[in-house]
Amino acid sequence: MKIINQHYVDGQFRPSTGSEKMDIINPSDECLIGHVLLGNEQDMEAAIVAASAALPSFSQTSRVQRMDYLQQLHDALMERLDDLQEVTTTEYGATIQRSRWSNQYAAETFLYFKEILKDFSFERRIGQSVVSMVPVGVTGIMTAWNANSGSICVKLAAAIAAGCTVVIKPSEMSAMQSQVLAECFDRAGLPAGVINMVHGRGDILGTVLSTHPAVAKILFTGSTVVGKIIARNAVDTMKRVTLELSGKSPNIILDDADFDTAIPMAINAAFMNSGQACIAGTRLLVPEANLQEVKDILLKTMATQKVGDPRDGQTVIGPMASQKQFDRIQHYIRLGINEGAELLVGGLGKPEGLENGFYVKPTIFTGVSNEMTIAQEEIFGPVLSVITYKTEEEAIAIANDTIYGLHAYVSSSDMERAQRVAAQINAGRVAINTIYHDALAPFGGFKQSGLGREGGLYGLEEQLEPKVIIS
């Protein structure tokens, strides 16, 4: 039984002063595996004070010093990679392949920013002025539970590279993973107060972070609903915000695509991370004339998608993260059935033989119109809606008929045509014939999928303010 009752504040682990205890449940078998004592306003205040005190000195560190710190953070995570992988599978239910990749990616993020920092111009001459890019200040980091280490580290790396100090409020559902990360941050040996982490509820600690006058910047990954609350809270003190929010990503299969390649890739795009991904391609747009061919390949591909124990190397889809998430997905599957969508595979309930654990049946609906709830709202689970179109123009219109604009996918054998289609999709990223993630490119969304960008050069610049000296 793992007991987490400390927060990482001012370079040391301190007992929580909160009184609310939350159970930690293994999603694979629903067994109790630990408890976390959640922090309160006092714990968060202490973390903000520590970050504020460390800022004047840390903001003046040299480029070389911060590059060394980024290397130390990378090395500290790599030392604990096996532990991070283990806890990600145990607490979250990620497959072992996903756990390994996501935590290694988190560690490598620090090296990406170290490389960016090497040649970054902090001072630029424009007209008669010198523009200095200076650290924005104390940064609050708030993250979701579906990609804990990567989501934290891409934000932290940018802040450290810029010379900002941070207070991290990870999801309380990721307390075990976050605790190992905090131990890595401590091992990295940065000055006290530069990195702080407090476990707790978003409605309590997130409110403190997003309203506190000493916090200059908020970096948040989560739902659009919560992102709007954070933005409202932040505006009174004019905090800068970077919000990476919900998505309902279209995946357009053009009629000249290689269907035997594109459709299995579409399954991977939709069901990556067991479907618990903001970039999941959950709206599959296919030519009406090719619907039967698409159905046949979907069924054939789904026969290879093993659902089960995330520790089994053959498993592709593990359990959902929690009972709440399981119930949410059942709700949307029921809605799809009630709205008249055709169930190609999957459906309500748990897969046979997986009655213990938060497992769902990977579900594909055909006969979906883009007005249906399952085509408009983010489900955050392995549920795919197949929508047909008659013309390329109609496909683009359907793709853009959403309040979101985070990610999109296009498949075609004609790259020029694919690029023309991609240029017309309102999304922050469009992947052509791939589901590759480019860590150096900016990540973020259009419309209600967010504000600002994280990752790469653009992520670094989000942590800086331009200061002009005219002479």
Side-chain angles (χ1 to χ4, degrees), residues 330-439:
Q330 297 302 299
H331 164 74
Y332 278 107
I333 293 174
R334 189 174 294 107
L335 267 179
I337 294 170
N338 292 341
E339 288 182 328
E342 301 164 12
L343 200 59
L344 181 68
V345 66
L348 293 166
K350 296 183 178 182
E352 185 177 352
L354 294 170
E355 288 75 22
N356 294 323
F358 305 128
Y359 297 96
V360 303
K361 297 176 183 177
T363 298
I364 299 176
F365 285 108
T366 58
V368 178
S369 70
N370 203 53
E371 294 74 32
M372 290 182 180
T373 306
I374 56 172
Q376 287 294 319
E377 297 185 9
E378 185 178 53
I379 298 173
F380 226 63
V383 180
L384 175 63
S385 295
V386 180
I387 304 169
T388 60
Y389 66 87
K390 292 183 175 66
T391 66
E392 182 180 301
E393 292 73 23
E394 184 186 12
I396 294 167
I398 293 171
N400 289 333
D401 182 19
T402 171
I403 63 171
Y404 301 116
L406 184 61
H407 205 293
Y409 304 84
V410 177
S411 290
S412 173
S413 61
D414 183 339
M415 183 57 68
E416 184 177 339
R417 182 187 183 194
Q419 289 175 337
R420 185 180 69 243
V421 170
Q424 298 176 73
I425 299 175
N426 297 325
R429 278 193 181 193
V430 183
I432 298 175
N433 295 333
T434 186
I435 56 174
Y436 174 73
H437 171 67
D438 188 345

Side-chain angles (χ1 to χ4, degrees), residues 199-461:
H199 304 288
R201 291 162 54 101
D203 56 345
I204 297 173
L205 302 188
T207 300
V208 177
L209 263 183
S210 58
T211 59
H212 200 290
V215 177
K217 169 86 184 196
I218 296 291
L219 295 165
F220 171 73
T221 294
S223 72
T224 294
V225 171
V226 175
K228 290 177 180 179
I229 295 171
I230 290 170
R232 292 188 194 104
N233 287 342
V235 75
D236 283 344
T237 50
M238 286 297 168
K239 295 187 194 325
R240 282 63 178 136
V241 294
T242 299
L243 307 174
E244 194 273 288
L245 307 177
S246 305
K248 193 68 182 178
S249 302
N251 188 346
I252 300 178
I253 311 297
L254 294 173
D255 56 13
D256 62 355
D258 177 354
F259 282 65
D260 287 327
T261 300
I263 300 304
M265 188 184 300
I267 291 289
N268 290 334
F271 295 168
M272 65 173 75
N273 201 17
S274 302
Q276 298 173 130
C278 55
I279 63 171
T282 53
R283 290 186 296 146
L284 181 59
L285 279 57
V286 302
E288 185 176 77
N290 299 93
L291 179 59
Q292 188 56 55
E293 179 184 2
V294 169
K295 285 183 177 181
D296 292 343
I297 300 173
L298 285 170
L299 288 170
K300 180 180 177 181
T301 304
M302 287 306 298
T304 68
Q305 303 292 295
K306 180 176 180 180
V307 183
D309 183 355
R311 296 181 188 282
D312 183 337
Q314 301 303 309
T315 294
V316 177
I317 300 171
M320 301 301 97
S322 65
Q323 180 70 56
K324 180 179 179 181
Q325 191 63 12
F326 174 87
D327 293 341
R328 174 187 175 89
I329 295 162
Q330 297 302 299
H331 164 74
Y332 278 107
I333 293 174
R334 189 174 294 107
L335 267 179
I337 294 170
N338 292 341
E339 288 182 328
E342 301 164 12
L343 200 59
L344 181 68
V345 66
L348 293 166
K350 296 183 178 182
E352 185 177 352
L354 294 170
E355 288 75 22
N356 294 323
F358 305 128
Y359 297 96
V360 303
K361 297 176 183 177
T363 298
I364 299 176
F365 285 108
T366 58
V368 178
S369 70
N370 203 53
E371 294 74 32
M372 290 182 180
T373 306
I374 56 172
Q376 287 294 319
E377 297 185 9
E378 185 178 53
I379 298 173
F380 226 63
V383 180
L384 175 63
S385 295
V386 180
I387 304 169
T388 60
Y389 66 87
K390 292 183 175 66
T391 66
E392 182 180 301
E393 292 73 23
E394 184 186 12
I396 294 167
I398 293 171
N400 289 333
D401 182 19
T402 171
I403 63 171
Y404 301 116
L406 184 61
H407 205 293
Y409 304 84
V410 177
S411 290
S412 173
S413 61
D414 183 339
M415 183 57 68
E416 184 177 339
R417 182 187 183 194
Q419 289 175 337
R420 185 180 69 243
V421 170
Q424 298 176 73
I425 299 175
N426 297 325
R429 278 193 181 193
V430 183
I432 298 175
N433 295 333
T434 186
I435 56 174
Y436 174 73
H437 171 67
D438 188 345
L440 293 176
F443 182 74
F446 291 3
K447 299 187 280 188
Q448 294 193 38
S449 284
L451 293 172
R453 295 294 183 268
E454 62 182 29
L457 175 64
Y458 290 82
L460 173 57
E461 290 186 336

Side-chain angles (χ1 to χ4, degrees), residues 155-195:
K155 297 169 176 60
L156 175 61
I160 297 302
C164 299
T165 58
V166 303
V167 177
I168 304 168
K169 204 301 289 181
S171 169
E172 62 273 26
M173 290 174 59
S174 306
M176 289 172 61
Q177 299 165 74
S178 301
Q179 190 71 7
V180 177
L181 278 179
E183 291 166 6
C184 293
F185 300 155
D186 183 58
R187 171 74 171 166
L190 276 66
V194 172
I195 303 175

